[in-house]
């Protein structure tokens, strides 16, 4: 049983879970039930295998925020109780061998409360330390951290994406293992020829992705190479701000997320990632699999676990926009090296393909199924 708020965004978790659930159903014959709380009428962004059962509990937590004060508190409590009741009913009916949720989510304590003796895996797709900083309000931070500690101390397993982040989670639970993401790699058999004058950025348009830094960097690159363009693919709360900041002559174009992102990578020369933190950074190996070298800030913790700086891309000290721009310009000015690095990138990310990662998941699942096999 996989439990999530909603599968409604073109996001990393949605992509990762879809791929793994599809593989479990198709290749391993597992019975999969995907539970959502707030799906509503939202379409699923990625195609789920027809053998996967989906059930939306129709909680709609966000509707509580239409109200204020005491009414809002009542609505939140009512929906939490409704979620608890409906989730327990589904667990009792399906009785899964394993329950999977996302660590540092508000619904984890509810799962712990109703799951009985069914083992639970909490996947970390966020930084452990980042959860502590979700609010500037000290009291809110205190209660969130307290609730997280209590819930995750009872989880049978936490799965983290990197060794660095795993060390942080071990402050809450000693049962932490590291399994990298399965990456949706380019399977066209083609690589970018590296000759287009196009840099690509793919990601949510949010503070985490360092958009002000991206614009600062591009201003420096554009001054030296005005014929090159930056194409941004994403959606998010900073979209309006981004359009307001882009100068008419900057050669920056902003597009909606696309289901054919591999085509966009293949028609680009290199990729940039300006995140201020990144638990993994799914788009980085996606782009590398298309033959693109990637320039990224060496932020906590994902990029350094994917990019080998100087060989298949460049890692830049966090926040150093001058160094970042210089690295981008270096790749622009050295096309032969750019293409060679792109080819190395396509080879290096093969370690993230499903055939290498799924056995790690199956070995973990096997620990919790009493010796039976999926």
């Amino acid at each position: 049983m996989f439990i999530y708020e909603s599968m409604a965004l073109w996001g990393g978790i949605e992509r990762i879970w879809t791929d793994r659930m599809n593989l479990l159903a198709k290749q391993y014959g597992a019975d999969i039930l995907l539970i959502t709380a707030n799906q509503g009428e939202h379409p699923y962004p990625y195609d789920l295998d027809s053998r996967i059962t989906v059930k939306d509990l129709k909680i709609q937590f966000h509707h509580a925020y239409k109200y204020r004060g005491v009414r809002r508190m009542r609505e939140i409590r009512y929906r939490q109780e409704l979620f608890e009741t409906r989730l327990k009913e589904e667990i009792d009916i399906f009785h899964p061998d394993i329950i999977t949720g996302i660590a540092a989510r508000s619904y984890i304590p509810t799962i712990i409360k109703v799951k009985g003796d069914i083992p639970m895996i909490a996947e970390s797709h966020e930084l452990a330390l980042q959860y502590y900083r979700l609010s500037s309000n000290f009291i809110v931070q205190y209660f969130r951290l307290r609730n997280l500690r209590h819930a995750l101390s009872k989880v049978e397993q936490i799965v983290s994406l990197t060794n660095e982040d795993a060390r942080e989670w071990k402050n809450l639970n000693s049962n932490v293992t590291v399994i990298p993401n399965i990456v949706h790699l380019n399977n066209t058999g083609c690589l970018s020829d590296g000759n287009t004058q196009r840099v690509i950025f793919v990601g949510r348009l949010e503070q985490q992705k360092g958009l002000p830094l991206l614009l600062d960097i591009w201003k420096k690159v554009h001054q030296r190479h005005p014929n090159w363009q930056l194409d941004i693919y994403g959606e998010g709360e900073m979209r309006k701000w981004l359009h307001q900041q882009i100068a008419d002559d900057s050669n920056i174009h902003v597009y909606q997320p696309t289901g054919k992102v591999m085509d966009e990578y293949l028609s680009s020369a290199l990729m940039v990632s300006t995140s201020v933190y990144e638990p993994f950074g799914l788009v980085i190996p996606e782009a590398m699999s298309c033959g693109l070298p990637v320039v990224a800030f060496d932020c906590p913790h994902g990029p350094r676990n994917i990019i080998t700086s100087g060989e298949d891309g460049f890692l830049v000290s966090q926040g150093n926009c001058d160094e970042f721009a210089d690295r981008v310009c270096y790749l622009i000015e050295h096309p032969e090296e750019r293409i060679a690095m792109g080819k190395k990138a396509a080879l290096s990310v093969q370690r993230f393909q499903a055939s290498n990662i799924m056995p790690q998941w199956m070995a973990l699942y096997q620990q919790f199924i009493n010796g039976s096999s999926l």
Side-chain angles (χ1 to χ4, degrees), residues 87-88 91-92 95-97 99 108-120 154-156:
L87 179 59
K88 188 176 188 312
I91 290 174
D92 289 343
H95 198 73
D97 294 300
I99 293 174
I108 296 294
T110 301
I111 300 175
I112 295 297
K113 184 177 180 180
V114 302
K115 75 181 185 67
D117 60 358
I118 299 170
M120 180 178 177
K154 297 179 180 297
V155 169
E156 283 73 17

Side-chain angles (χ1 to χ4, degrees), residues 197-305:
Q197 295 183 322
R198 184 196 199 205
V199 177
I200 190 170
F201 172 96
V202 179
R204 297 187 312 278
L205 305 183
E206 298 177 359
Q207 289 288 348
Q208 176 203 342
K209 302 302 181 180
L211 296 175
L213 299 173
L214 175 65
L215 296 185
D216 188 15
I217 291 163
W218 188 253
K219 183 178 180 180
K220 302 175 190 298
V221 173
H222 183 65
Q223 289 173 348
R224 293 162 62 175
H225 299 283
N227 293 330
W228 279 67
Q229 69 187 60
L230 171 64
D231 287 351
I232 299 172
Y233 285 83
E235 185 56 88
E237 59 190 19
M238 293 185 69
R239 188 179 186 86
K240 182 178 180 181
W241 174 89
L242 184 60
H243 280 289
Q244 292 171 343
Q245 301 300 313
I246 295 174
D248 292 338
D249 61 350
S250 64
N251 217 2
I252 299 176
H253 311 281
V254 182
Y255 300 96
Q256 291 288 338
T258 173
K260 297 183 178 179
V261 69
M262 293 297 174
D263 293 342
E264 304 306 331
Y265 293 139
L266 289 169
S267 60
S268 302
L270 64 105
M271 179 184 176
V272 291
S273 173
T274 53
S275 296
V276 295
Y277 68 91
E278 198 65 74
F280 186 75
L282 202 63
V283 298
I284 294 175
E286 284 182 355
M288 292 171 71
S289 76
C290 293
L292 301 189
V294 178
V295 182
F297 281 128
D298 188 16
C299 64
H301 293 294
R304 71 184 67 136
N305 289 276

Side-chain angles (χ1 to χ4, degrees), residues 19 23 27-28 181-185 350-361:
D19 286 348
L23 286 166
Q27 293 189 12
Y28 297 93
N181 278 328
I182 294 173
V183 178
H184 191 67
L185 298 175
Q350 295 306 308
R351 66 190 189 274
F352 299 120
Q353 62 183 327
S355 61
N356 291 327
I357 305 300
M358 277 306 292
Q360 299 177 53
W361 276 107

Side-chain angles (χ1 to χ4, degrees), residues 47-81:
D47 293 334
L48 282 171
D49 189 271
S50 61
R51 287 162 283 198
I52 295 171
T53 303
V54 296
K55 181 67 178 287
D56 183 36
L57 301 184
K58 298 182 171 61
I59 308 301
Q60 305 296 316
F61 281 111
H62 55 283
H63 285 182
Y65 293 89
K66 295 188 296 185
Y67 308 102
R68 296 183 178 182
V70 175
R71 176 66 186 277
R72 176 183 290 184
M73 293 173 64
R74 282 204 207 106
E75 286 287 330
I76 291 173
R77 182 172 180 178
Y78 163 73
R79 293 172 194 280
Q80 288 174 336
E81 291 174 349

Side-chain angles (χ1 to χ4, degrees), residues 306-347:
I306 304 170
I307 298 169
T308 302
S309 192
E311 293 188 17
D312 50 26
F314 288 113
L315 293 171
V316 177
S317 54
Q318 182 65 47
N320 191 330
C321 293
D322 289 334
E323 181 188 357
F324 199 116
D326 285 344
R327 290 303 192 187
V328 172
C329 290
Y330 178 86
L331 290 174
I332 289 174
E333 294 159 6
H334 297 82
E336 291 185 1
E337 188 165 350
R338 182 175 74 238
I339 293 169
M341 291 178 75
K343 291 179 179 178
K344 290 180 181 178
L347 291 174

